[in-house]
Every structure is written in C-alpha cells, then in structure tokens.
Amino acid sequence: METQIGNLSLLFLLLLLGSNLSSVLSWKKEEFRTCNQTPFCKQARHRSPGSCALVAHDVTIVNGELTAKLLPKENHENPDQDQSKPLILSLSVYQDGIVRLKIDEDPKLEPRKKRFEVPDVILPELDDKKLWLQKLSTEEDSSLSVVYLSDGYEVVLRHDPFEVYVREKEGKRRVISINSHGLFDFEQLKVKKEGEEWEERFKGHTDTRPYGSQSISFDVSFYDADFVYGIPEHATSLALKPTRGPGIEESEPYRLFNLDVFEYVHESPFGLYGSIPFMISHGKSRGTSGFFWLNSAEMQIDVLGSGWDAESGISLPSSQGRIDTFWMSEAGIVDTFFFVGPGPKDVVRQYTSVTGRPSMPQLFATAYHQCRWNYRDEEDVENVDSKFDEHDIPYDVLWLDIEHTDGKRYLTWDTTLFPHPEEMQKKLAAKGRHMVTIVDPHIKRDDSYFLHKEASQKGYYVKDATGNDYDGWCWPGSSSYLDVVNPEIRSWWAERFSTEVYVGSTPSLYIWNDMNEPSVFNGPEVTMPRDALHQGGVEHREVHNAYGYYFHMATSDGLVKRGDGSDRPFVLSRAFFAGSQRYGAVWTGDNTADWDHLRVSVPMILTLGLTGLSFSGADVGGFFGNPEPELLVRWYQIGAYYPFFRAHAHHDTKRREPWLFGERRTELIREAVQMRYMLLPYFYTLFREANTSGIPVARPLWMEFPSDEATFSNDEAFMVGNSLLVQGIYTERAKHTSVYLPGKESWYDLRTGAVHKGGVTHKLDVSEESVPAFQKAGTIIPRKDRLRRSSTQMINDPYTLVIALNSSQKAEGELYIDDGKSFSFENGAYIHRRFVFSNGKLTSHNVASAPGGAQFSSECVIERIILLGHSARPKNAIIEPEDRNVEVEMGPLLLKSKESSSFITIRKPNVPVASDWTIKFL
C-alpha cells in the first residue's frame, strides 16, 4: 500500500509540474554515475600495463578459422587452480580487409549462463564473404601465428603474452592491435561465495547483480595515427581528445550508455542518447583504420595521451607513432572487428558492409521538416500549413508531439483537439506534404488501453528482477516497456501500424520514436534498471544500448508492412546503436538555443556519419530556450545543409515559425530553406551513394582530402558530398570569418560564383544572407530551380547543371533519380547519370547497373547549364546526336540573386535527363 501511495504521489507531482518538468529533469551532473562510481570502470582504470598474463595454447585452424585457448601462464603450470578455465579465441577473416576476433568463456565448461551476444546487427551475408583459412604459418620460434588477410595485409597472433594485430606484408608495419599493452581482462562468471556482496547501489537504487561482476577490458592501438574519431554520441569535438596521460587534465572516459539527458552540456565525454562502439583512426603517413566492438552493455573508453605508459617497461615498435585507447565494458563478450582501410571511405564502406548500409529515404524525408512540442490542434496545424504557403516557404513534413494523443496513449488521438485526423492528413497530402506522429516505447498501464491490455495478456513486457512486468514512470505515468529484443514481440509491434489498428492514420503518416533509450523518469540515471529481464533471462545491462535500436527496427518494419512492402518507411529515432542506419534517421536530441550548441552540432553530425548514420541532424534553433533572431537565422543557414533538416522546439519556448521575426528575417530563412530545395537532386544523389557504399552525405574535410593535415581537426566546416564545402558562423554579430579551402584547385562561392584559391585560409567578410558555402572546382552539381510548396510537387520539374571547371578545364558529377518513394529502385527502376565536361564538351553517360525486373522513366529535361571558370567565352553550342544548335549567353548563378555577376549559360537546351547526349561548346 505504501508503494501505491508513493507512485500516486509521484504521478501527482508529475502532473502538477506539467510544463515545468523539463527544468526539474534538466541535466544534473550528480544524477549520473562517474567512472569512480561505476565499479567495472574504476577497477579497469586501475589496471597496470602488462598485468594480463594470458597465453595462447592449442593454436590451430578449425573450419576455416584460427582458434586458440587463452590460459593464464601460472594457471597453465598449475591446472588445479580455480582460475584455470580457458577462454576460447576465434579469429575469422573476410573479403575487403576485415578481421573478426571473438573471445568468450568455453561453453563446454558450462558457465552459469550464456553470455549475451548481440543479435540482428551483423548482416547475415557477411558469412558469404568469409575467407576459408587454409594454413597457419609461424614466425620467431613459433611464438607468432600468422594468417592471410588480403594481398597487402596479414593477421598475427602472438602467443605469450597473447596479442592480436594486423600488419602490412611489406615492411611488417603494424596497422591496429589489441592487448599490445597487456591490459586485457575478462571476468568469468562465478558462483557467489558466502559473505560476498554483489549488489551495487546508486542514488537510492539497488542493482542486484545476480551474476556478479562480468566486465571486460582491453587496450587497442592505432598505428601511424594522428587522430581518432567516432564512438558517438557525445557533444564534443570531432577529433577525440585524450582522457588520460601526462599533462592531461583529469577527465572522465568517453561513456557509451544510452541516456535521456535534458539540456546536455557541450564539450563533454558524457554519454548521450545513442552508442556506437566504432572508432576510426586517421593519419597522414599511413591512412585510415577502424575498430568495432559489437557489445551493447555500458562501455567506457579512454583515449590515452602520449607517454601514458612511460613507466610500464613495455617496448613497442619505436619506428611507428600510435594512438592507444582503452575499452571497458560491463558485460557481454569480445566480438570485435578490425578494418584496415586504407582510406577513410574504405573504412566506412568496410564497417557498413558488416552492420548494413544506410536505408534509402523517401525524397520528401530529405526536404524540410517543421516540428514543435506541440501543435495544439487541427486548427493550429491548418494555420501553420497555410502560413508556409503565404510566406512562400516550402516544407514537406509537419510533426505532432505527445500532446496529440489521448492521455499519452500512443497510436491514439485526442478526439477533442484532433477529431478528424485522417482529413487533416489528407489536406496536407493534397499539397504533397506528410505528417509525422510520435510513438514512444513506454506503454501506459491502463486496462482500458488496447495496447497495454494486449501486451500484458501476451506477456510482452520487460520483467523486473522478480519476474513481474517492469513498471516505470514516463510521460503517461505508470508505464511498462515492450521487450523488443524478442523477435516475436517486434513482429507484433510492427503489425500495430496498420491503418486498421492505428485508427486515424493514413499512408501519408510516418513515425517518430523518442524516449527509446529507454527513458524511465524514476529509474537509475533516468533509465531502466540493469537487472530488469528480457527474453531468455538476458539482463537489461547486457542489451541496454541496443534497446532503442530494436524498437526503431520494429517500427520501421511496421511501416513497411503497412504499405505491403511498396512504401519506404520514415522513422526518426533518438536512441541508436550500430546498424540503426538500416532503419531510418536520427537526431542529436534535446539541444539548447545557444551558439555553443549550434557549433557542436557539426562535429556531432559528422561523427554520426562516420559511424554509419548518414541521415542525421540537429534541432534547428535549439530545442530548449528562445533563440535570438540572429542565432535562429544562422541555424537555418547551416541546418539547410544537414542531411536531416528539421526545426523543433520545446513547448515552454515562444513560437518560432519562420515568419514570426520580422520581414527581413523571414526572407533570410526563406532563402536558406529554398537553397535546400534547389539542392535536393544533389542531396538525393548523395543519399543513394550512402545507400550503396556507406559513405556519408555530410563528411569531414579529411574524408575528401585525406593527406591534408590542416583538415584533420577541422570541425567547423564540412563537406556535403565531394562537391560542396560549408563553413558555419558560430558567433553573434560576426563581421569576418576564416575559411580553410583544402586542395590545389579553386573553389566557387555557391551564391556569387566568386573564385577562391585552394590550399589556403581565407579571411572573408560575413554577410547576413548566408553562411559561406563553396563548390569545388572539377565538379558538377544538379539543381532544381523552380520552387514549389513541397518536394513532391517538384518531381516533374526540369534540372539545372552547375559546372565548376578545374585548372584542366574539366569537371564531373552525378545525378540519381527514382520514383522517390517505393523499393522498385532495388530492382533496377532508377536513372543514374554521370556528367563529364572535358575538351569543351559536356557528355551524359548512363552509369546504372544492369536493369532488373522493374523500369523507371522520366520526361524531365535539363533546363539550364551554367559554366563556371571557362577560359574562353563560347557563343553557341551543338547538341548531339540531334545536331541542334543552341545559343550561349551570360546569366545569373541564382535566378533570384541580387548579385550582378553573370556566367556562361545555356538556357533551355532541353536535353532529356535520361538519355545519352553531348553538348559541344564552340
């Protein structure tokens, strides 16, 4: 009874606080554990180099894999000791320079439970790329076992003490290694002895830890690396800063533990909403390599500063510089992948060949989204929609947050505020627009609520440590959480998105998964207790970082099922894990309306792209707080180049639709949004590149200029594809900014066409019209210059090609087109053209792969061709094979531009976008 009274009191408190809840739950450092308050992290950090004495025995090739037993040296000599249980090591190699190393307890010795291996992340087709190892060679008096990896690389297992590393065949230079410093530790499951205390307590919460400590830790070294990147999500720089070492200010490790963090702070290694344990190294002398640990338990990672091991006595190859890192996890197994690169794009391609390529979004999803917590009712929705038209600002998606539901019951509507949801959606769809509603994983515990009733009866909820349905607190009050780790439950959840079950939904409605870390207001660190139980007795501590991934997966599958497999899903998720790129978009969570959060959004998005999540963005304007008009405008100007472009705001903030800040600022925001719509063909082509190769839409400069050291730590500018460079403005009332333009070729201002030399830093005047953006010489960018209400209404519009010539008077670019919504492109129903300018001729080539069973055609034409940097001024051109003569004139770079400059232009060549043709300038 006391518990019930306590829960009712908490519910009353939540209701009483209402809109002030965010301030109560805002980020408070003391509410979250530090490394010293986390036993596995504290213990691991106290280990000394060389403390691992594991030795590899019985090294052999079995079923195409290298296998070995790992035993402590002293226990091998004294096999009667309790600690003599061997660990089993297996090493597999795959095509394209990929190594997989697994270490686990020996199942034949019947450990207390099977340690958790994360399912449904690694692509099944990876097995088809496995190389069947035939032989094992030895070196240095049989102390090293060597296996083939690829033509340029091999993998080495050192026996005593054990170490695994990849090296180049020629010169034997190392690339990446594990346990070179002897920090490996693997706590095997044991039986609790009388008097032992296994429970952990933090802030009034008790973790029963029924299996005791089961942590794993080890060191990983990246050779010839200048910087390391990756392991999102943290609000910090792109290049990861050292967290330990001489002269380094005391720091927490980078934490990977999915958390609901209100008003997070920037420049912090503190973990946020998602976790991807994938790190990339890059250096000028060797190139790029990567390391991935498939483990969904809490992880802490140190980046070790130079000299951290000066007193260890361990001697590593002195001819190679390196960056050492230290990885610590609470549970799971060692299931790691090494990627040898050698280029940045190679590593991302290799990683996404293991965890999956990014899904191909619908065209509308790549355009502008308008969101707020919350648009009040149908009248508010209609008014906002009409105001966009009135102010001539295009948009594609209007979003509804939690207040649209019936008492926070997801897949329902507040029938007073939204009495006609289908009609509301159809009005938007008539303009080519879509709607997104929020669906979170916490289910209101209400016996009259159809979702709770069915989930409860079927036993589909996560259990608490005693085996009862877990009951936590979130927006609806008392809530339970679906056990989406279970495939059966994911399938059931997917079926809830049919229009018959989700009453009031239509095919133009898509979904937003929030709070799926999972967020639990009264849980430890605002999340689910670690000793909660999933299918098969899996503890939540083992699967925590992947919970949101499985929820995202199930929701995405639901939208595919709703459309009978013919409609690409759009699902935005806040929590993520490795593989989330296969299921939709993510965003950087609850940021704040200040300049620092605008600044940190760029490295956060770049890091997500490097780790597979190409479709990402940050809330334009900041979720919390009221942005000054200048900040809001600057955010739109850079947000227009985010892969995912959405404005969003907390319900306590002032309304901030684009037309509420005066005519001039409305004009500036309109121009920023219109620039995105003009560039949609270019963005959509880049999303297809990501879908086929894993290479992100938004890229660090060093991805395109891997040997230019000036780019390695630059995260104020970024590339959009290989053609555009964007530099943000991150200070108020800025009059000047410095922009580094890499490479030997020139760059053309995207708005004015002004030419800037490459390889130098330019001090540029800053105008209010835009952030600096440049097209690289040697590229061709496709645009659509006719501006409509939405991307859907632009489908049949003609294209413009902007050709930026390099010093050799050459350029090339690509254009990808499909129907923008279905999966038919997977069967060959698309157009893919490469445009090449060389020797005074522009040629269109078909680069689509062999056609499949589906076909796609387009009647669209090229309406304008703009030539930048031509050494002469041609007067006319001939279109072949028609042998048709067209005039060449001077025209503006942007049709609505106030700039007086004009450039070589062909108006209305009207060549089909889907055909082969050549235009020869005379």
Side-chain angles (χ1 to χ4, degrees):
M1 184 63 179
E2 289 178 0
T3 301
Q4 291 176 338
I5 292 174
N7 286 347
L8 289 171
S9 298
L10 178 57
L11 177 58
F12 176 73
L13 177 62
L14 291 174
L15 294 173
L16 182 65
L17 291 169
S19 64
N20 293 321
L21 183 61
S22 65
S23 62
V24 173
L25 295 178
S26 61
W27 194 81
K28 294 182 176 63
K29 187 176 181 180
E30 65 275 8
E31 294 299 321
F32 299 95
R33 303 203 304 183
T34 65
C35 179
N36 279 337
Q37 293 168 319
T38 308
F40 81 87
C41 184
K42 181 179 180 180
Q43 170 186 308
R45 260 190 158 186
H46 278 86
R47 289 177 62 80
S48 300
S51 56
C52 172
L54 290 174
V55 178
H57 295 275
D58 303 333
V59 182
T60 187
I61 299 291
V62 177
N63 294 326
E65 297 180 349
L66 181 152
T67 65
K69 292 182 179 179
L70 299 180
L71 276 166
K73 194 169 187 178
E74 63 274 16
N75 291 343
H76 180 69
E77 296 167 355
N78 300 283
D80 294 333
Q81 293 187 13
D82 290 341
Q83 296 88 353
S84 62
K85 290 182 179 180
L87 295 172
I88 302 300
L89 176 152
S90 65
L91 190 148
S92 310
V93 299
Y94 300 85
Q95 297 170 12
D96 199 21
I98 299 171
V99 181
R100 186 177 194 176
L101 172 67
K102 297 181 72 171
I103 301 175
D104 195 2
E105 299 189 51
D106 188 344
K108 296 177 182 177
L109 300 180
E110 299 182 353
R112 289 190 61 206
K113 62 170 282 190
K114 186 182 186 302
R115 297 176 75 112
F116 184 66
E117 297 185 46
V118 186
D120 306 307
V121 169
I122 304 303
L123 295 180
E125 52 263 38
L126 182 65
D127 286 341
D128 299 333
K129 301 175 183 178
K130 187 174 178 179
L131 301 179
W132 198 265
L133 296 177
Q134 301 289 341
K135 66 176 183 177
L136 187 69
S137 59
T138 59
E139 294 179 3
E140 299 180 17
D141 299 327
S142 299
S143 65
L144 302 179
S145 296
V146 183
V147 296
Y148 170 87
L149 173 55
S150 66
D151 288 343
Y153 302 93
E154 52 196 7
V155 190
V156 180
L157 169 64
R158 186 179 69 182
H159 299 184
D160 184 9
F162 111 89
E163 175 194 18
V164 175
Y165 58 91
V166 175
R167 72 184 183 191
E168 296 174 352
K169 282 184 179 180
E170 296 295 328
K172 308 299 185 186
R173 292 177 67 85
R174 292 183 174 211
V175 176
I176 189 169
S177 68
I178 187 170
N179 201 38
S180 297
H181 294 277
L183 287 171
F184 185 91
D185 185 51
F186 191 117
E187 292 190 285
Q188 299 197 45
L189 298 172
K190 56 187 179 181
V191 177
K192 188 174 183 179
K193 296 179 180 178
E194 187 175 349
E196 281 188 322
E197 178 60 63
W198 282 7
E199 292 182 342
E200 287 183 9
R201 294 171 180 83
F202 179 75
K203 294 290 181 182
H205 297 276
T206 299
D207 175 5
T208 59
R209 293 214 309 167
Y211 297 97
S213 183
Q214 48 187 303
S215 69
I216 302 171
S217 55
F218 49 77
D219 56 277
V220 176
S221 295
F222 300 90
Y223 296 85
D224 294 323
D226 295 322
F227 293 98
V228 289
Y229 314 86
I231 58 170
E233 185 177 35
H234 307 95
T236 188
S237 59
L238 176 64
L240 299 173
K241 298 179 175 70
T243 55
R244 288 171 60 193
I248 295 170
E249 186 176 345
E250 185 64 27
S251 172
E252 287 290 302
Y254 288 97
R255 190 182 190 193
L256 294 183
F257 190 63
N258 292 9
L259 290 170
D260 179 358
V261 187
F262 282 69
E263 298 184 270
Y264 56 82
V265 297
H266 73 288
E267 286 306 318
S268 169
F270 189 81
L272 297 178
Y273 309 95
S275 300
I276 300 181
F278 172 46
M279 184 177 286
I280 296 177
S281 78
H282 184 69
K284 184 177 182 180
S285 61
R286 194 255 154 201
T288 316
S289 61
F291 177 80
F292 169 50
W293 186 3
L294 179 58
N295 187 320
S296 53
E298 178 180 358
M299 203 175 289
Q300 304 264 3
I301 302 171
D302 272 319
V303 177
L304 303 170
S306 179
W308 72 274
D309 60 340
E311 300 177 1
S312 69
I314 294 178
S315 177
L316 291 177
S318 58
S319 62
Q320 290 185 259
R322 66 180 192 278
I323 293 179
D324 299 321
T325 59
F326 185 43
W327 300 61
M328 305 161 270
S329 180
E330 184 182 15
I333 69 165
V334 176
D335 189 357
T336 60
F337 292 80
F338 301 171
F339 307 104
V340 301
K345 294 180 181 179
D346 297 319
V347 170
V348 174
R349 188 190 68 248
Q350 289 158 359
Y351 168 75
T352 56
S353 74
V354 170
T355 61
R357 308 293 194 208
S359 60
M360 185 65 192
Q362 289 203 38
L363 176 63
F364 82 82
T366 69
Y368 175 61
H369 301 244
Q370 182 68 33
C371 184
R372 180 177 176 81
W373 178 17
N374 206 82
Y375 287 115
R376 295 184 299 268
D377 50 31
E378 290 178 3
E379 183 180 358
D380 196 9
V381 166
E382 187 170 0
N383 181 58
V384 169
D385 176 67
S386 65
K387 284 288 187 181
F388 271 95
D389 294 337
E390 179 183 331
H391 291 280
D392 197 24
I393 302 173
Y395 90 99
D396 268 67
V397 193
L398 197 67
W399 294 54
L400 295 180
D401 211 316
I402 55 178
E403 311 304 336
H404 82 278
T405 63
D406 175 14
K408 314 300 189 296
R409 299 169 180 86
Y410 300 109
L411 308 185
T412 70
W413 301 85
D414 183 323
T415 54
T416 301
L417 301 177
F418 296 91
H420 311 104
E422 293 181 57
E423 183 180 339
M424 173 180 63
Q425 294 162 57
K426 288 176 181 177
K427 285 181 179 178
L428 293 176
K431 298 179 181 180
R433 291 169 177 158
H434 301 76
M435 178 164 273
V436 166
T437 54
I438 198 167
V439 179
D440 294 349
H442 48 264
I443 306 298
K444 183 179 177 67
R445 293 189 62 83
D446 176 352
D447 290 339
S448 65
Y449 177 27
F450 74 100
L451 277 182
H452 170 66
K453 185 177 181 180
E454 191 171 351
S456 181
Q457 289 174 348
K458 290 178 176 290
Y460 280 174
Y461 286 137
V462 175
K463 311 303 180 187
D464 63 23
T466 67
N468 296 314
D469 287 350
Y470 174 69
D471 185 348
W473 287 79
C474 208
W475 297 125
S478 179
S479 305
S480 287
Y481 296 72
L482 294 170
D483 185 7
V484 285
V485 180
N486 186 331
E488 175 189 330
I489 298 171
R490 290 202 300 271
S491 180
W492 171 83
W493 177 246
E495 292 166 357
R496 303 308 96 194
F497 290 93
S498 70
T499 52
E500 291 77 20
V501 176
Y502 188 177
V503 177
S505 68
T506 70
S508 65
L509 181 73
Y510 295 87
I511 302 298
W512 172 16
N513 289 160
D514 197 5
M515 315 296 285
N516 55 336
E517 291 74 30
S519 177
V520 183
F521 292 159
N522 63 334
E525 300 190 276
V526 201
T527 191
M528 188 174 286
R530 296 166 191 249
D531 57 4
L533 296 171
H534 295 265
Q535 174 199 27
V538 173
E539 293 184 282
H540 187 70
R541 81 181 75 253
E542 300 174 285
V543 75
H544 172 80
N545 284 347
Y547 180 88
Y549 164 76
Y550 292 117
F551 193 72
H552 193 190
M553 177 196 298
T555 304
S556 178
D557 288 347
L559 294 188
V560 174
K561 286 184 178 181
R562 180 187 72 180
D564 294 326
S566 62
D567 188 47
R568 293 179 225 164
F570 173 77
V571 183
L572 179 75
S573 175
R574 190 169 71 176
F576 55 81
F577 188 66
S580 288
Q581 66 268 15
R582 307 204 301 265
Y583 300 107
V586 301
W587 89 107
T588 63
D590 296 343
N591 58 1
T592 302
D594 64 40
W595 291 93
D596 287 334
H597 274 247
L598 171 60
R599 167 70 182 80
V600 83
S601 71
V602 171
M604 292 179 78
I605 290 167
L606 293 177
T607 300
L608 290 168
L610 285 174
T611 54
L613 287 166
S614 186
F615 200 5
S616 66
D619 284 343
V620 170
F623 178 65
F624 288 107
N626 297 303
E628 292 298 319
E630 182 187 4
L631 172 61
L632 182 64
V633 169
R634 289 299 189 203
W635 215 318
Y636 267 97
Q637 288 172 344
I638 199 167
Y641 298 98
Y642 291 163
F644 174 57
F645 182 24
R646 180 185 76 155
H648 184 37
H650 190 279
H651 63 58
D652 282 348
T653 64
K654 298 175 183 177
R655 293 291 285 254
R656 59 165 94 138
E657 284 73 32
W659 49 85
L660 296 176
F661 297 88
E663 185 175 340
R664 176 56 178 156
R665 295 186 180 101
T666 300
E667 181 183 13
L668 293 172
I669 293 173
R670 179 191 301 116
E671 289 176 356
V673 176
Q674 287 179 343
M675 179 61 80
R676 172 54 165 252
Y677 277 76
M678 287 175 60
L679 292 171
L680 280 178
Y682 179 65
F683 271 89
Y684 197 64
T685 300
L686 293 175
F687 275 105
R688 175 57 170 167
E689 183 180 3
N691 173 246
T692 56
S693 69
I695 299 169
V697 173
R699 307 169 186 176
L701 301 187
W702 54 264
M703 180 168 272
E704 292 298 327
F705 301 91
S707 61
D708 188 340
E709 293 177 87
T711 68
F712 291 179
S713 59
N714 185 335
D715 57 10
E716 291 196 345
F718 60 98
M719 297 293 297
V720 179
N722 71 341
S723 304
L724 291 185
L725 184 149
V726 181
Q727 168 73 47
I729 301 298
Y730 307 112
T731 56
E732 57 185 329
R733 295 187 293 276
K735 301 299 182 185
H736 308 278
T737 190
S738 293
V739 183
Y740 178 69
L741 298 176
K744 297 178 181 179
E745 295 290 345
S746 297
W747 296 79
Y748 297 85
D749 186 286
L750 200 62
R751 293 171 58 86
T752 69
V755 184
H756 300 272
K757 185 179 179 181
V760 296
T761 298
H762 299 266
K763 185 176 181 181
L764 302 178
D765 293 336
V766 170
S767 70
E768 66 174 357
E769 275 80 10
S770 66
V771 295
F774 307 88
Q775 181 174 352
K776 185 176 68 174
T779 64
I780 300 175
I781 290 180
R783 297 191 325 212
K784 283 201 172 185
D785 291 354
R786 296 186 186 180
L787 298 169
R788 309 288 189 180
R789 290 174 172 176
S790 65
S791 67
T792 311
Q793 295 189 340
M794 297 167 62
I795 288 176
N796 296 318
D797 286 347
Y799 291 85
T800 293
L801 297 182
V802 181
I803 305 170
L805 297 179
N806 62 17
S807 57
S808 301
Q809 297 286 282
K810 294 180 179 180
E812 63 179 65
E814 296 188 4
L815 173 63
Y816 173 83
I817 312 169
D818 60 25
D819 65 17
K821 56 187 178 181
S822 78
F823 287 99
S824 296
F825 72 96
E826 294 181 343
N827 297 316
Y830 63 86
I831 296 166
H832 193 178
R833 310 298 299 181
R834 176 173 293 128
F835 305 112
V836 177
F837 188 97
S838 180
N839 298 319
K841 295 190 296 185
L842 174 64
T843 307
S844 175
H845 302 278
N846 176 31
V847 290
S849 57
Q855 299 294 321
F856 176 74
S857 61
S858 171
E859 300 301 317
C860 291
V861 298
I862 308 295
E863 182 181 45
R864 292 173 77 221
I865 297 172
I866 302 171
L867 200 56
L868 306 179
H870 201 277
S871 57
R873 182 173 172 178
K875 295 182 179 179
N876 54 45
I878 295 177
I879 300 175
E880 299 171 342
E882 302 172 40
D883 195 25
R884 175 164 56 94
N885 197 299
V886 290
E887 288 188 9
V888 176
E889 59 187 55
M890 302 302 289
L893 181 56
L894 299 177
L895 292 178
K896 293 185 177 182
S897 175
K898 299 171 186 175
E899 301 289 335
S900 58
S901 300
S902 57
F903 303 91
I904 297 169
T905 302
I906 300 179
R907 291 183 63 249
K908 299 189 181 303
N910 293 335
V911 287
V913 73
S915 299
D916 290 349
W917 44 258
T918 296
I919 300 177
K920 185 175 182 179
F921 288 78
L922 302 175

